[in-house]
mmCIF file of all heavy atoms in Angstrom:
data_model
loop_
_atom_site.group_PDB
_atom_site.id
_atom_site.type_symbol
_atom_site.label_atom_id
_atom_site.label_comp_id
_atom_site.label_asym_id
_atom_site.label_seq_id
_atom_site.Cartn_x
_atom_site.Cartn_y
_atom_site.Cartn_z
ATOM 1 N N TYR A 462 187.984 13.134 106.006
ATOM 2 C CA TYR A 462 187.659 13.335 104.611
ATOM 3 C C TYR A 462 186.187 12.959 104.301
ATOM 4 O O TYR A 462 185.633 13.421 103.330
ATOM 5 C CB TYR A 462 188.589 12.484 103.699
ATOM 6 C CG TYR A 462 188.553 12.934 102.256
ATOM 7 C CD1 TYR A 462 189.170 14.133 101.894
ATOM 8 C CD2 TYR A 462 187.843 12.199 101.320
ATOM 9 C CE1 TYR A 462 189.094 14.572 100.573
ATOM 10 C CE2 TYR A 462 187.802 12.643 99.997
ATOM 11 C CZ TYR A 462 188.427 13.820 99.635
ATOM 12 O OH TYR A 462 188.360 14.268 98.332
ATOM 13 N N GLU A 463 185.542 12.161 105.175
ATOM 14 C CA GLU A 463 184.151 11.787 104.932
ATOM 15 C C GLU A 463 183.213 13.013 104.930
ATOM 16 O O GLU A 463 182.124 12.962 104.389
ATOM 17 C CB GLU A 463 183.663 10.752 105.940
ATOM 18 C CG GLU A 463 183.538 11.275 107.395
ATOM 19 C CD GLU A 463 184.800 11.115 108.216
ATOM 20 O OE1 GLU A 463 185.843 10.722 107.706
ATOM 21 O OE2 GLU A 463 184.672 11.318 109.452
ATOM 22 N N HIS A 464 183.639 14.145 105.435
ATOM 23 C CA HIS A 464 182.837 15.355 105.495
ATOM 24 C C HIS A 464 183.001 16.193 104.239
ATOM 25 O O HIS A 464 182.230 17.133 103.992
ATOM 26 C CB HIS A 464 183.214 16.204 106.698
ATOM 27 C CG HIS A 464 183.040 15.513 108.009
ATOM 28 N ND1 HIS A 464 181.775 15.251 108.548
ATOM 29 C CD2 HIS A 464 183.926 15.020 108.868
ATOM 30 C CE1 HIS A 464 181.928 14.628 109.682
ATOM 31 N NE2 HIS A 464 183.245 14.467 109.928
ATOM 32 N N GLU A 465 183.948 15.859 103.375
ATOM 33 C CA GLU A 465 184.234 16.656 102.168
ATOM 34 C C GLU A 465 183.053 16.728 101.218
ATOM 35 O O GLU A 465 182.681 17.774 100.788
ATOM 36 C CB GLU A 465 185.464 16.069 101.439
ATOM 37 C CG GLU A 465 185.879 16.810 100.231
ATOM 38 C CD GLU A 465 186.756 18.074 100.533
ATOM 39 O OE1 GLU A 465 187.321 18.104 101.610
ATOM 40 O OE2 GLU A 465 186.835 18.931 99.653
ATOM 41 N N ALA A 466 182.435 15.553 100.911
ATOM 42 C CA ALA A 466 181.340 15.536 99.981
ATOM 43 C C ALA A 466 180.135 16.314 100.506
ATOM 44 O O ALA A 466 179.499 17.103 99.736
ATOM 45 C CB ALA A 466 180.901 14.083 99.724
ATOM 46 N N GLU A 467 179.836 16.214 101.804
ATOM 47 C CA GLU A 467 178.751 16.988 102.366
ATOM 48 C C GLU A 467 179.022 18.479 102.313
ATOM 49 O O GLU A 467 178.133 19.252 101.969
ATOM 50 C CB GLU A 467 178.532 16.540 103.853
ATOM 51 C CG GLU A 467 177.417 17.265 104.526
ATOM 52 C CD GLU A 467 177.366 16.896 106.011
ATOM 53 O OE1 GLU A 467 178.108 16.004 106.457
ATOM 54 O OE2 GLU A 467 176.577 17.560 106.719
ATOM 55 N N TYR A 468 180.237 18.881 102.592
ATOM 56 C CA TYR A 468 180.634 20.278 102.530
ATOM 57 C C TYR A 468 180.437 20.855 101.121
ATOM 58 O O TYR A 468 179.872 21.924 100.928
ATOM 59 C CB TYR A 468 182.075 20.459 103.032
ATOM 60 C CG TYR A 468 182.584 21.862 102.895
ATOM 61 C CD1 TYR A 468 182.146 22.856 103.772
ATOM 62 C CD2 TYR A 468 183.471 22.224 101.872
ATOM 63 C CE1 TYR A 468 182.619 24.156 103.667
ATOM 64 C CE2 TYR A 468 183.907 23.518 101.721
ATOM 65 C CZ TYR A 468 183.494 24.465 102.655
ATOM 66 O OH TYR A 468 183.958 25.743 102.514
ATOM 67 N N LEU A 469 180.957 20.126 100.121
ATOM 68 C CA LEU A 469 180.840 20.569 98.732
ATOM 69 C C LEU A 469 179.361 20.633 98.276
ATOM 70 O O LEU A 469 178.977 21.574 97.559
ATOM 71 C CB LEU A 469 181.643 19.667 97.819
ATOM 72 C CG LEU A 469 183.167 19.755 97.994
ATOM 73 C CD1 LEU A 469 183.841 18.697 97.115
ATOM 74 C CD2 LEU A 469 183.687 21.134 97.652
ATOM 75 N N ALA A 470 178.568 19.671 98.690
ATOM 76 C CA ALA A 470 177.132 19.692 98.350
ATOM 77 C C ALA A 470 176.453 20.940 98.956
ATOM 78 O O ALA A 470 175.634 21.603 98.297
ATOM 79 C CB ALA A 470 176.455 18.417 98.812
ATOM 80 N N ASN A 471 176.810 21.266 100.189
ATOM 81 C CA ASN A 471 176.228 22.450 100.839
ATOM 82 C C ASN A 471 176.650 23.703 100.145
ATOM 83 O O ASN A 471 175.817 24.598 99.967
ATOM 84 C CB ASN A 471 176.628 22.512 102.298
ATOM 85 C CG ASN A 471 175.882 21.502 103.156
ATOM 86 O OD1 ASN A 471 174.820 21.044 102.807
ATOM 87 N ND2 ASN A 471 176.479 21.178 104.308
ATOM 88 N N ARG A 472 177.876 23.806 99.700
ATOM 89 C CA ARG A 472 178.331 24.979 98.984
ATOM 90 C C ARG A 472 177.612 25.116 97.645
ATOM 91 O O ARG A 472 177.213 26.245 97.261
ATOM 92 C CB ARG A 472 179.832 24.876 98.696
ATOM 93 C CG ARG A 472 180.687 25.243 99.878
ATOM 94 C CD ARG A 472 182.130 25.194 99.592
ATOM 95 N NE ARG A 472 182.469 26.206 98.568
ATOM 96 C CZ ARG A 472 183.682 26.451 98.141
ATOM 97 N NH1 ARG A 472 184.690 25.790 98.656
ATOM 98 N NH2 ARG A 472 183.934 27.352 97.197
ATOM 99 N N GLN A 473 177.411 23.990 96.926
ATOM 100 C CA GLN A 473 176.690 24.088 95.652
ATOM 101 C C GLN A 473 175.249 24.460 95.865
ATOM 102 O O GLN A 473 174.669 25.253 95.099
ATOM 103 C CB GLN A 473 176.806 22.738 94.925
ATOM 104 C CG GLN A 473 178.189 22.478 94.340
ATOM 105 C CD GLN A 473 178.323 21.113 93.709
ATOM 106 O OE1 GLN A 473 177.437 20.261 93.877
ATOM 107 N NE2 GLN A 473 179.416 20.918 92.995
ATOM 108 N N ARG A 474 174.628 23.922 96.901
ATOM 109 C CA ARG A 474 173.222 24.224 97.212
ATOM 110 C C ARG A 474 173.119 25.702 97.512
ATOM 111 O O ARG A 474 172.163 26.377 97.039
ATOM 112 C CB ARG A 474 172.778 23.391 98.424
ATOM 113 C CG ARG A 474 171.276 23.377 98.598
ATOM 114 C CD ARG A 474 170.809 22.446 99.734
ATOM 115 N NE ARG A 474 171.422 21.131 99.671
ATOM 116 C CZ ARG A 474 172.224 20.645 100.616
ATOM 117 N NH1 ARG A 474 172.502 21.335 101.747
ATOM 118 N NH2 ARG A 474 172.761 19.417 100.529
ATOM 119 N N TRP A 475 174.033 26.252 98.266
ATOM 120 C CA TRP A 475 173.980 27.678 98.597
ATOM 121 C C TRP A 475 174.149 28.494 97.309
ATOM 122 O O TRP A 475 173.444 29.508 97.142
ATOM 123 C CB TRP A 475 175.103 28.031 99.578
ATOM 124 C CG TRP A 475 175.065 29.443 100.010
ATOM 125 C CD1 TRP A 475 174.372 29.968 101.079
ATOM 126 C CD2 TRP A 475 175.697 30.564 99.409
ATOM 127 N NE1 TRP A 475 174.571 31.323 101.147
ATOM 128 C CE2 TRP A 475 175.376 31.722 100.128
ATOM 129 C CE3 TRP A 475 176.528 30.700 98.273
ATOM 130 C CZ2 TRP A 475 175.818 32.958 99.790
ATOM 131 C CZ3 TRP A 475 176.962 31.938 97.946
ATOM 132 C CH2 TRP A 475 176.609 33.092 98.690
ATOM 133 N N ALA A 476 175.100 28.112 96.470
ATOM 134 C CA ALA A 476 175.354 28.894 95.248
ATOM 135 C C ALA A 476 174.136 28.883 94.334
ATOM 136 O O ALA A 476 173.811 29.903 93.707
ATOM 137 C CB ALA A 476 176.540 28.343 94.501
ATOM 138 N N ARG A 477 173.425 27.766 94.254
ATOM 139 C CA ARG A 477 172.242 27.696 93.424
ATOM 140 C C ARG A 477 171.104 28.536 94.025
ATOM 141 O O ARG A 477 170.293 29.124 93.262
ATOM 142 C CB ARG A 477 171.775 26.256 93.249
ATOM 143 C CG ARG A 477 172.563 25.471 92.173
ATOM 144 C CD ARG A 477 171.878 24.148 91.854
ATOM 145 N NE ARG A 477 171.808 23.259 93.004
ATOM 146 C CZ ARG A 477 172.719 22.357 93.289
ATOM 147 N NH1 ARG A 477 173.817 22.248 92.566
ATOM 148 N NH2 ARG A 477 172.569 21.615 94.389
ATOM 149 N N SER A 478 171.003 28.578 95.347
ATOM 150 C CA SER A 478 169.929 29.327 95.948
ATOM 151 C C SER A 478 170.124 30.824 95.883
ATOM 152 O O SER A 478 169.172 31.608 96.022
ATOM 153 C CB SER A 478 169.725 28.885 97.392
ATOM 154 O OG SER A 478 170.805 29.296 98.186
ATOM 155 N N HIS A 479 171.342 31.271 95.699
ATOM 156 C CA HIS A 479 171.622 32.679 95.573
ATOM 157 C C HIS A 479 171.920 33.008 94.114
ATOM 158 O O HIS A 479 172.942 32.545 93.568
ATOM 159 C CB HIS A 479 172.848 33.074 96.439
ATOM 160 C CG HIS A 479 172.557 33.050 97.878
ATOM 161 N ND1 HIS A 479 172.555 31.859 98.592
ATOM 162 C CD2 HIS A 479 172.245 34.011 98.762
ATOM 163 C CE1 HIS A 479 172.261 32.106 99.828
ATOM 164 N NE2 HIS A 479 172.067 33.410 99.995
ATOM 165 N N ASN A 480 171.057 33.789 93.523
ATOM 166 C CA ASN A 480 171.241 34.034 92.078
ATOM 167 C C ASN A 480 172.444 34.915 91.819
ATOM 168 O O ASN A 480 173.095 35.397 92.714
ATOM 169 C CB ASN A 480 169.957 34.665 91.511
ATOM 170 C CG ASN A 480 169.621 35.965 92.143
ATOM 171 O OD1 ASN A 480 170.443 36.580 92.824
ATOM 172 N ND2 ASN A 480 168.381 36.441 91.955
ATOM 173 N N LYS A 481 172.722 35.121 90.570
ATOM 174 C CA LYS A 481 173.925 35.880 90.177
ATOM 175 C C LYS A 481 173.878 37.343 90.568
ATOM 176 O O LYS A 481 174.934 37.988 90.664
ATOM 177 C CB LYS A 481 174.150 35.764 88.660
ATOM 178 C CG LYS A 481 174.536 34.386 88.260
ATOM 179 C CD LYS A 481 174.849 34.280 86.781
ATOM 180 C CE LYS A 481 175.275 32.873 86.453
ATOM 181 N NZ LYS A 481 175.577 32.721 85.061
ATOM 182 N N ASN A 482 172.683 37.876 90.860
ATOM 183 C CA ASN A 482 172.641 39.248 91.312
ATOM 184 C C ASN A 482 173.327 39.452 92.616
ATOM 185 O O ASN A 482 173.808 40.519 92.949
ATOM 186 C CB ASN A 482 171.153 39.721 91.424
ATOM 187 C CG ASN A 482 170.505 39.904 90.060
ATOM 188 O OD1 ASN A 482 171.224 40.169 89.084
ATOM 189 N ND2 ASN A 482 169.219 39.774 89.998
ATOM 190 N N TYR A 483 173.373 38.386 93.432
ATOM 191 C CA TYR A 483 174.088 38.483 94.714
ATOM 192 C C TYR A 483 175.548 38.816 94.486
ATOM 193 O O TYR A 483 176.122 39.637 95.165
ATOM 194 C CB TYR A 483 174.002 37.133 95.453
ATOM 195 C CG TYR A 483 174.763 37.102 96.721
ATOM 196 C CD1 TYR A 483 174.266 37.617 97.891
ATOM 197 C CD2 TYR A 483 176.054 36.550 96.748
ATOM 198 C CE1 TYR A 483 174.972 37.614 99.066
ATOM 199 C CE2 TYR A 483 176.788 36.538 97.921
ATOM 200 C CZ TYR A 483 176.237 37.071 99.045
ATOM 201 O OH TYR A 483 176.978 37.066 100.217
ATOM 202 N N GLN A 484 176.164 38.228 93.457
ATOM 203 C CA GLN A 484 177.558 38.468 93.179
ATOM 204 C C GLN A 484 177.774 39.900 92.723
ATOM 205 O O GLN A 484 178.768 40.506 92.993
ATOM 206 C CB GLN A 484 178.054 37.506 92.114
ATOM 207 C CG GLN A 484 177.930 36.022 92.505
ATOM 208 C CD GLN A 484 178.819 35.670 93.678
ATOM 209 O OE1 GLN A 484 179.830 36.267 93.911
ATOM 210 N NE2 GLN A 484 178.355 34.692 94.423
ATOM 211 N N ARG A 485 176.833 40.433 91.966
ATOM 212 C CA ARG A 485 176.957 41.783 91.435
ATOM 213 C C ARG A 485 176.799 42.849 92.539
ATOM 214 O O ARG A 485 177.321 43.937 92.436
ATOM 215 C CB ARG A 485 175.940 42.015 90.357
ATOM 216 C CG ARG A 485 176.287 41.236 89.108
ATOM 217 C CD ARG A 485 175.426 41.704 87.939
ATOM 218 N NE ARG A 485 175.609 40.725 86.901
ATOM 219 C CZ ARG A 485 174.647 40.125 86.236
ATOM 220 N NH1 ARG A 485 173.398 40.436 86.499
ATOM 221 N NH2 ARG A 485 174.901 39.211 85.318
ATOM 222 N N LYS A 486 176.006 42.540 93.550
ATOM 223 C CA LYS A 486 175.753 43.539 94.602
ATOM 224 C C LYS A 486 176.998 43.745 95.457
ATOM 225 O O LYS A 486 177.156 44.813 96.039
ATOM 226 C CB LYS A 486 174.611 43.094 95.483
ATOM 227 C CG LYS A 486 173.253 43.215 94.846
ATOM 228 C CD LYS A 486 172.161 42.676 95.783
ATOM 229 C CE LYS A 486 170.847 42.648 95.073
ATOM 230 N NZ LYS A 486 169.849 42.023 95.910
ATOM 231 N N TYR A 487 177.882 42.769 95.502
ATOM 232 C CA TYR A 487 179.012 42.855 96.419
ATOM 233 C C TYR A 487 179.927 44.001 95.989
ATOM 234 O O TYR A 487 180.365 44.058 94.839
ATOM 235 C CB TYR A 487 179.765 41.546 96.411
ATOM 236 C CG TYR A 487 180.944 41.570 97.326
ATOM 237 C CD1 TYR A 487 180.790 41.492 98.702
ATOM 238 C CD2 TYR A 487 182.244 41.624 96.825
ATOM 239 C CE1 TYR A 487 181.886 41.513 99.541
ATOM 240 C CE2 TYR A 487 183.338 41.627 97.667
ATOM 241 C CZ TYR A 487 183.126 41.549 99.003
ATOM 242 O OH TYR A 487 184.221 41.586 99.845
ATOM 243 N N ASN A 488 180.199 44.897 96.862
ATOM 244 C CA ASN A 488 181.149 46.035 96.671
ATOM 245 C C ASN A 488 180.744 46.974 95.526
ATOM 246 O O ASN A 488 181.562 47.577 94.894
ATOM 247 C CB ASN A 488 182.569 45.542 96.441
ATOM 248 C CG ASN A 488 183.547 46.619 96.768
ATOM 249 O OD1 ASN A 488 183.268 47.541 97.513
ATOM 250 N ND2 ASN A 488 184.695 46.586 96.121
ATOM 251 N N MET A 489 179.473 47.046 95.219
ATOM 252 C CA MET A 489 179.016 47.969 94.166
ATOM 253 C C MET A 489 178.320 49.130 94.878
ATOM 254 O O MET A 489 177.120 49.138 95.083
ATOM 255 C CB MET A 489 178.051 47.291 93.228
ATOM 256 C CG MET A 489 178.722 46.249 92.355
ATOM 257 S SD MET A 489 180.002 46.927 91.286
ATOM 258 C CE MET A 489 179.006 47.830 90.130
ATOM 259 N N VAL A 490 179.131 50.103 95.278
ATOM 260 C CA VAL A 490 178.564 51.242 96.000
ATOM 261 C C VAL A 490 178.604 52.458 95.078
ATOM 262 O O VAL A 490 179.222 52.415 94.017
ATOM 263 C CB VAL A 490 179.341 51.525 97.289
ATOM 264 C CG1 VAL A 490 179.103 50.406 98.309
ATOM 265 C CG2 VAL A 490 180.776 51.673 97.051
ATOM 266 N N THR A 491 178.017 53.472 95.508
ATOM 267 C CA THR A 491 177.796 54.638 94.636
ATOM 268 C C THR A 491 179.074 55.369 94.252
ATOM 269 O O THR A 491 179.048 56.187 93.377
ATOM 270 C CB THR A 491 176.818 55.651 95.281
ATOM 271 O OG1 THR A 491 177.356 55.955 96.591
ATOM 272 C CG2 THR A 491 175.458 55.086 95.418
ATOM 273 N N ARG A 492 180.191 55.041 94.880
ATOM 274 C CA ARG A 492 181.415 55.740 94.569
ATOM 275 C C ARG A 492 181.835 55.517 93.091
ATOM 276 O O ARG A 492 182.636 56.275 92.578
ATOM 277 C CB ARG A 492 182.550 55.341 95.516
ATOM 278 C CG ARG A 492 182.960 53.878 95.348
ATOM 279 C CD ARG A 492 184.128 53.592 96.285
ATOM 280 N NE ARG A 492 184.292 52.165 96.318
ATOM 281 C CZ ARG A 492 184.333 51.432 97.417
ATOM 282 N NH1 ARG A 492 184.224 52.010 98.589
ATOM 283 N NH2 ARG A 492 184.497 50.144 97.384
ATOM 284 N N ASN A 493 181.335 54.492 92.460
ATOM 285 C CA ASN A 493 181.726 54.192 91.103
ATOM 286 C C ASN A 493 180.734 54.748 90.063
ATOM 287 O O ASN A 493 180.906 54.502 88.893
ATOM 288 C CB ASN A 493 181.890 52.656 90.878
ATOM 289 C CG ASN A 493 183.031 52.118 91.643
ATOM 290 O OD1 ASN A 493 184.068 52.757 91.770
ATOM 291 N ND2 ASN A 493 182.905 50.950 92.168
ATOM 292 N N ARG A 494 179.721 55.480 90.502
ATOM 293 C CA ARG A 494 178.689 55.907 89.566
ATOM 294 C C ARG A 494 179.106 56.991 88.635
ATOM 295 O O ARG A 494 178.665 57.061 87.498
ATOM 296 C CB ARG A 494 177.461 56.327 90.350
ATOM 297 C CG ARG A 494 176.822 55.140 91.102
ATOM 298 C CD ARG A 494 175.510 54.756 90.474
ATOM 299 N NE ARG A 494 175.053 53.517 91.033
ATOM 300 C CZ ARG A 494 174.085 53.380 91.949
ATOM 301 N NH1 ARG A 494 173.487 54.489 92.353
ATOM 302 N NH2 ARG A 494 173.751 52.231 92.386
ATOM 303 N N ASN A 495 179.906 57.968 89.064
ATOM 304 C CA ASN A 495 180.336 58.978 88.142
ATOM 305 C C ASN A 495 181.863 58.848 87.873
ATOM 306 O O ASN A 495 182.581 58.272 88.687
ATOM 307 C CB ASN A 495 179.957 60.383 88.572
ATOM 308 C CG ASN A 495 180.702 60.887 89.772
ATOM 309 O OD1 ASN A 495 181.843 60.554 89.961
ATOM 310 N ND2 ASN A 495 180.069 61.725 90.598
ATOM 311 N N THR A 496 182.314 59.411 86.743
ATOM 312 C CA THR A 496 183.711 59.183 86.342
ATOM 313 C C THR A 496 184.693 59.789 87.300
ATOM 314 O O THR A 496 185.762 59.218 87.526
ATOM 315 C CB THR A 496 183.930 59.749 84.930
ATOM 316 O OG1 THR A 496 183.558 61.101 84.912
ATOM 317 C CG2 THR A 496 183.157 58.948 83.911
#
């Protein structure tokens, strides 16, 4: 369990370093562009 805090801190650090555009890019391919 002593590794839990370090793991959570690394996850938060990663999330802060990747802006929200990263989340939007995931699975947004051209197949959804026209109706």
Side-chain angles (χ1 to χ4, degrees):
Y462 197 74
E463 68 269 10
H464 301 287
E465 183 82 20
E467 181 185 353
Y468 175 75
L469 291 174
N471 285 338
R472 282 184 62 178
Q473 287 176 349
R474 194 175 313 117
W475 184 90
R477 280 192 298 270
S478 69
H479 291 78
N480 61 15
K481 290 184 179 179
N482 287 335
Y483 176 83
Q484 301 296 331
R485 290 192 191 128
K486 287 179 188 173
Y487 181 73
N488 201 27
M489 291 298 288
V490 291
T491 55
R492 66 177 167 234
N493 292 324
R494 294 250 169 104
N495 70 32
T496 55

